[in-house]
Amino acid sequence: MKKLVLLTLLISLSAVSFVTGQTKQSQEEMFQATYNNSKSLVISKQFQFISEAVFNDEKRQLVDGKTNRLKFNKAKVSGKLASFSSFDKTVNLDGRLKNYKSSFNDAKYEILILFNIGTDEYQIKINKIGKAFLSLNSGNNNITQLGRIERI
């Protein structure tokens, strides 16, 4: 009788793990789906970068994503980016996109976007989990932000 109960328990546990094993999406499939979505947005040039935090080598500060965002609409970019509140600087953007270049590393699920607005140089790196890192290199404004990209 004990053997029958143990055998039934073993079969039921293996059946449960077999069913859940088939329904869970693998981590690799999730990376691929996130990468494909990000890649299509970058190619379309119709997306927005929504900032979550500004940071440098020493500290990180959360920012309001409702007001700290860049909207890419084909050849035009608009929005604003904040620096640390202690510096109290905001960069307002409204201009034409220049030198927009994107590169895709399909093996690592990474995307790199380079572009200029006026003389300012921008870079956005998107990793496999969909986090985007924006860097602004300008004469007097150097800002690095963490965020994500979304469809407009």
Side-chain angles (χ1 to χ4, degrees):
M1 183 69 179
K2 279 186 175 181
K3 290 181 182 179
L4 183 61
V5 170
L6 287 174
L7 182 61
T8 305
L9 181 63
L10 181 62
I11 290 172
S12 64
L13 287 175
S14 64
V16 169
S17 66
F18 176 73
V19 170
T20 58
Q22 286 187 351
T23 59
K24 287 185 180 177
Q25 189 179 27
S26 77
Q27 189 176 37
E28 193 73 18
E29 290 170 329
M30 288 182 352
F31 291 156
Q32 185 68 53
T34 301
Y35 175 72
N36 289 342
N37 182 49
S38 298
K39 188 175 181 177
S40 67
L41 290 174
V42 169
I43 291 170
S44 75
K45 293 184 189 175
Q46 290 189 303
F47 63 93
Q48 57 187 341
F49 170 83
I50 301 169
S51 181
E52 297 169 357
V54 61
F55 63 95
N56 63 16
D57 294 336
E58 298 172 6
K59 60 184 176 178
R60 170 188 262 184
Q61 180 179 323
L62 297 178
V63 295
D64 183 5
K66 292 178 183 175
T67 56
N68 289 282
R69 58 179 61 203
L70 290 181
K71 290 185 181 182
F72 294 76
N73 192 358
K74 299 286 182 189
K76 188 171 169 98
V77 176
S78 61
K80 74 176 190 176
L81 298 172
S83 65
F84 288 103
S85 59
S86 58
F87 299 137
D88 199 28
K89 288 184 183 177
T90 301
V91 177
N92 292 309
L93 300 166
D94 190 18
R96 299 208 75 50
L97 221 91
K98 295 179 186 174
N99 305 321
Y100 184 92
K101 296 175 186 166
S102 55
S103 61
F104 307 97
N105 185 332
D106 295 338
K108 293 184 177 181
Y109 307 120
E110 294 175 342
I111 301 171
L112 177 63
I113 307 166
L114 302 170
F115 61 96
N116 295 70
I117 301 173
T119 59
D120 296 340
E121 297 176 358
Y122 293 81
Q123 173 179 293
I124 299 176
K125 290 181 182 180
I126 304 168
N127 66 17
K128 62 185 173 184
I129 61 171
K131 289 294 182 185
F133 298 86
L134 179 136
S135 298
L136 160 61
N137 295 314
S138 175
N140 53 356
N141 291 315
N142 294 321
I143 298 173
T144 303
Q145 294 198 352
L146 167 68
R148 66 188 186 285
I149 65 168
E150 289 183 356
R151 187 171 313 282
I152 295 177

